[in-house]
């Protein structure tokens, strides 16, 4: 009997280890956005003025402005998923400026692309969004990930039992 219990215990431990490793692999941020300890990273807050603190933020690119020695990327904030990718949302808590050393090609960093950044916070900056005055949180980017573009997909329905395609099959009117 002790052999059976010991085998069952080992089996449970192995199953638990495999499950834990699978779950942790799914939740990890990509290597280019890794930072330890994760708990030290500040979440986004509008007009956050904590120079020197580390943060990992993400969002949708609104504009790119290249200066002599750096690029300023204006980003509309969307929360991060567990894997570090930005969520797709209808509302945003605000915007921030990502300061990237060197040149960021506006064709690659195009309006509407999603971007995640890791870096140190800097002093807030007063600016404008069109005619509206706005105080931007600022992050000096150390690492970043430009996510692949989201592609629109056309969904077509197949009529069951009759074959062929029909765009209005589930909504057919008598």
């Amino acid at each position: 009997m002790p052999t059976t219990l010991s085998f069952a215990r080992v089996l449970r431990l192995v199953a638990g280890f495999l499950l834990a490793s699978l779950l942790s692999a799914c939740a990890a941020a990509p290597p280019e956005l890794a930072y330890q300890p994760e708990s030290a990273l500040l979440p986004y807050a509008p007009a956050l003025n904590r120079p020197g603190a580390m943060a990992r933020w993400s969002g949708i690119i609104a504009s790119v402005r290249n200066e002599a020695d750096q690029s300023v990327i204006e980003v509309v904030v969307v929360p991060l998923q567990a894997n570090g990718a930005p969520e797709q949302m209808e509302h945003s808590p605000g915007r921030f400026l990502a300061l990237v050393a060197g040149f960021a090609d506006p064709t690659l960093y195009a309006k509407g692309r999603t971007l995640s950044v890791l870096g140190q916070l800097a002093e807030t900056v007063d600016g404008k969004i069109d005619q509206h005055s706005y105080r931007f949180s600022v992050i000096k980017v150390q690492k970043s990930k430009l996510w692949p573009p989201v592609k629109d997909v056309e969904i077509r329905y197949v009529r069951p039992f009759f074959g062929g395609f029909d765009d209005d099959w589930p909504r057919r009117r008598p």
Side-chain angles (χ1 to χ4, degrees):
M1 192 80 144
T3 309
T4 307
L5 289 177
S6 131
F7 177 72
R9 177 175 282 163
V10 169
L11 189 59
R12 276 187 292 202
L13 286 173
V14 169
F17 176 75
L18 289 174
L19 181 63
S21 63
L22 284 173
L23 291 175
S24 67
C26 294
E32 54 264 29
L33 299 175
Y35 184 79
Q36 293 297 329
E38 293 266 335
S39 60
L41 295 172
L42 290 179
Y44 174 81
L48 184 62
N49 200 8
R50 298 269 311 268
M54 291 297 290
R56 180 172 48 218
W57 296 342
S58 68
I60 301 166
I61 297 173
S63 67
V64 177
R65 186 176 72 248
N66 285 296
E67 298 176 348
D69 60 344
Q70 70 180 0
S71 298
V72 180
I73 304 172
E74 184 179 325
V75 182
V76 178
V77 175
V78 293
L80 290 166
Q81 297 176 18
N83 67 353
E87 290 183 15
Q88 298 298 318
M89 296 186 60
E90 296 295 321
H91 302 287
S92 169
R95 294 184 181 208
F96 68 91
L97 298 178
L99 305 180
V100 179
F103 177 74
D105 192 328
T107 303
L108 296 177
Y109 290 83
K111 181 177 181 175
R113 294 276 309 262
T114 50
L115 175 72
S116 296
V117 296
L118 173 72
Q120 276 191 326
L121 297 182
E123 294 284 335
T124 57
V125 172
D126 289 325
K128 288 190 176 244
I129 301 172
D130 294 327
Q131 298 301 314
H132 180 76
S133 295
Y134 192 82
R135 178 166 284 160
F136 291 95
S137 298
V138 179
I139 186 168
K140 292 181 181 178
V141 176
Q142 294 174 353
K143 298 178 183 178
S144 67
K145 177 161 177 73
L146 188 61
W147 296 89
V150 177
K151 296 184 177 161
D152 291 331
V153 178
E154 180 182 345
I155 298 174
R156 302 200 71 193
Y157 297 99
V158 176
R159 292 185 294 178
F161 311 114
F162 301 109
F165 291 98
D166 190 354
D167 288 333
D168 65 346
W169 166 70
R171 300 175 299 279
R172 188 177 303 275
R173 292 178 214 116

